[in-house]
């Protein structure tokens, strides 16, 4: 494997972290400043998530079949940036909707492409180590962007976030070009075994009939249904509070910084201990954290409660960012459907994440933020229950490959 390409891949993860999520929690703040209602903001976020769902399975199939992963990755990053800049200039209903559609579809391609490039550069033997580095750089990029965004928002307002995102997109594009095309083994990138036909197209039937993949997908659907709205709702609660003592933009940046700071060592820990503890145990640990996080968010509106809430978010995200891709790579090793499997799970994750802001926003508008957080916590408990009972769905035979 080429050291230069692996180093460039780390930089791609660093800069692409801010680009992939678009405005992230700043979208709610930006639209609130333009007098949008909570439920309307929530459903706009849901619209982007639903658009991403339509592209999720095709994105995995493309990542498995394509020999031009770098070009597709660059295109997706530039489309997200252009759509976000359009939203900045014209924050109207149709433009915001169009921007969310473009962002959702483009973002769906990024994760399977990065996973495929990583596997193609390292092979299965080096995948865990590099995924840990990828996640660490990804969280470092999110944290750095959030710190810069917080400072810029404090002095120049929310509009500064758009300029920052554009700069990160340019750097991400340069980093992708630094990965050598010839260093990526496209056969290994899709998890093909030695006897398999490299020209064979991936088949969806291989994925949707795999019990272990379906179970992890449903579990993460519920997890993200409970998780995706927590951070935007925390920021929007501060933005809507009269006479707040803290800037909503600074608050949003602080929430991101805290969680990303925790994710870096947790991701490295997960990569180093995956073989010892097994991916299923790491996933279970992440699922346990979310109900506790929702309970804390429900307990008080004090901005200081954001600190433990986001520390726990960092623990859960750091574990899942390494454990889930590794789990799926092991389950589907030799099938040639590694990235398609990743995308199927992302499809179910995306379904949960897409409906989460709309669900939580509607509950918050009709009742209160505390009630919305309580409902999200109950959904998180259901995800933990399903994962705890997974052996009843398919036993242990298929899962042994994931250790």
């Amino acid at each position: 494997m080429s050291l230069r390409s692996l180093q460039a891949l780390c930089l791609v993860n660093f800069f692409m972290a801010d680009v992939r999520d678009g405005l992230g929690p700043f979208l709610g703040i930006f639209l609130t400043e333009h007098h949008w209602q909570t439920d309307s903001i929530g459903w706009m976020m849901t619209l982007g998530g639903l658009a991403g769902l339509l592209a999720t399975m095709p994105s995995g199939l493309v990542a498995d079949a394509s020999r031009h992963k770098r070009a597709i990755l660059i295109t997706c990053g530039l489309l997200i940036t252009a759509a976000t800049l359009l939203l900045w200039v014209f924050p109207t209903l149709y433009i915001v909707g169009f921007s969310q559609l473009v962002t959702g579809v483009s973002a769906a391609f990024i994760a399977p492409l990065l996973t495929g490039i990583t596997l193609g550069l390292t092979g299965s033997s080096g995948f865990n180590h590099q995924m840990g580095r990828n996640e660490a750089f990804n969280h470092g990029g999110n944290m750095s962007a959030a710190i810069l965004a917080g400072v810029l928002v404090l002095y120049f307002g929310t509009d500064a976030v758009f300029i920052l995102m554009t700069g990160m997109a340019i750097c991400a594009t340069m980093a992708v070009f630094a990965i050598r095309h010839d260093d990526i083994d496209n056969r290994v990138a899709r998890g093909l075994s030695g006897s398999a036909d490299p020209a064979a197209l991936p088949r969806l039937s291989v994925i949707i009939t795999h019990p272990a993949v379906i179970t992890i997908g449903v579990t993460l659907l519920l997890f993200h249904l409970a998780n995706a709205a927590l951070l935007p709702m925390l920021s929007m609660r501060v933005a809507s509070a009269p006479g707040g003592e803290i800037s909503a933009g600074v608050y949003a940046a602080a929430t991101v910084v805290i969680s990303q700071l925790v994710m870096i060592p947790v991701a490295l820990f997960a990569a180093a201990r995956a073989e010892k503890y097994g991916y299923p145990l790491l996933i279970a640990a992440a699922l346990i954290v979310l109900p506790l996080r929702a309970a804390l968010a429900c307990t008080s509106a004090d901005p200081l409660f954001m600190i433990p809430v986001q520390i726990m978010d960092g623990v859960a995200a750091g574990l899942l960012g390494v454990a889930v891709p590794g789990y799926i790579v092991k389950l589907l090793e030799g099938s040639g459907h590694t990235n398609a499997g990743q995308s199927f799970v992302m499809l179910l994750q995306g379904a949960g994440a897409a409906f989460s802001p709309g669900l939580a926003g509607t509950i918050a508008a009709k009742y209160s933020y505390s009630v919305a957080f309580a409902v999200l916590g109950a959904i998180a408990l259901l995800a933990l229950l399903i994962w705890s009972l997974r052996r009843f769905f398919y036993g242990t035979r298929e899962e042994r490959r994931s250790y």
Side-chain angles (χ1 to χ4, degrees), residues 199-331:
L201 294 177
R203 292 178 288 114
L204 183 59
S205 60
V206 174
I207 304 302
I208 63 176
T209 58
H210 198 298
V213 175
I214 293 172
T215 303
I216 181 64
V218 171
T219 299
L220 293 178
L221 181 153
L222 293 171
F223 177 89
H224 285 276
L225 179 61
N227 182 70
L230 267 173
L231 178 54
M233 289 295 132
L234 285 170
S235 299
M236 288 163 62
R237 181 167 64 180
V238 171
S240 61
E245 298 179 358
I246 183 172
S247 162
V250 173
Y251 179 86
T255 61
V256 175
V257 169
I258 292 171
S259 59
Q260 299 296 328
L261 189 61
V262 175
M263 288 177 199
I264 295 173
V266 172
L268 293 173
F269 169 84
R273 297 292 188 272
E275 291 190 11
K276 179 179 179 180
Y277 297 125
Y279 296 119
L281 182 60
L282 296 177
I283 293 170
L287 295 175
I288 291 171
V289 169
L290 183 55
L292 300 177
R293 183 175 175 236
L296 272 180
C298 179
T299 301
S300 173
D302 190 330
L304 290 178
F305 268 71
M306 169 263 293
I307 297 175
V309 167
Q310 289 307 99
I311 287 175
M312 288 189 288
D313 179 48
V315 171
L319 291 173
L320 291 178
V322 174
V324 172
Y327 180 76
I328 297 170
V329 164
K330 289 296 183 182
L331 285 177

Side-chain angles (χ1 to χ4, degrees), residues 49-64:
L50 290 174
L53 291 181
L54 296 176
T56 298
M57 277 310 303
S59 71
L61 297 173
V62 167
D64 276 330

Side-chain angles (χ1 to χ4, degrees), residues 12-58:
V12 172
N13 279 274
F14 182 90
F15 292 115
M16 194 65 77
D18 186 54
V19 177
R20 176 169 51 187
D21 296 331
L23 288 180
F26 291 99
L27 176 62
I29 296 170
F30 176 76
L31 294 179
T32 298
E33 291 175 350
H34 285 77
H35 312 295
W36 282 59
Q37 297 300 311
T38 303
D39 52 348
S40 298
I41 296 172
W43 285 112
M44 275 295 158
M45 292 178 178
T46 294
L47 177 63
L50 290 174
L53 291 181
L54 296 176
T56 298
M57 277 310 303

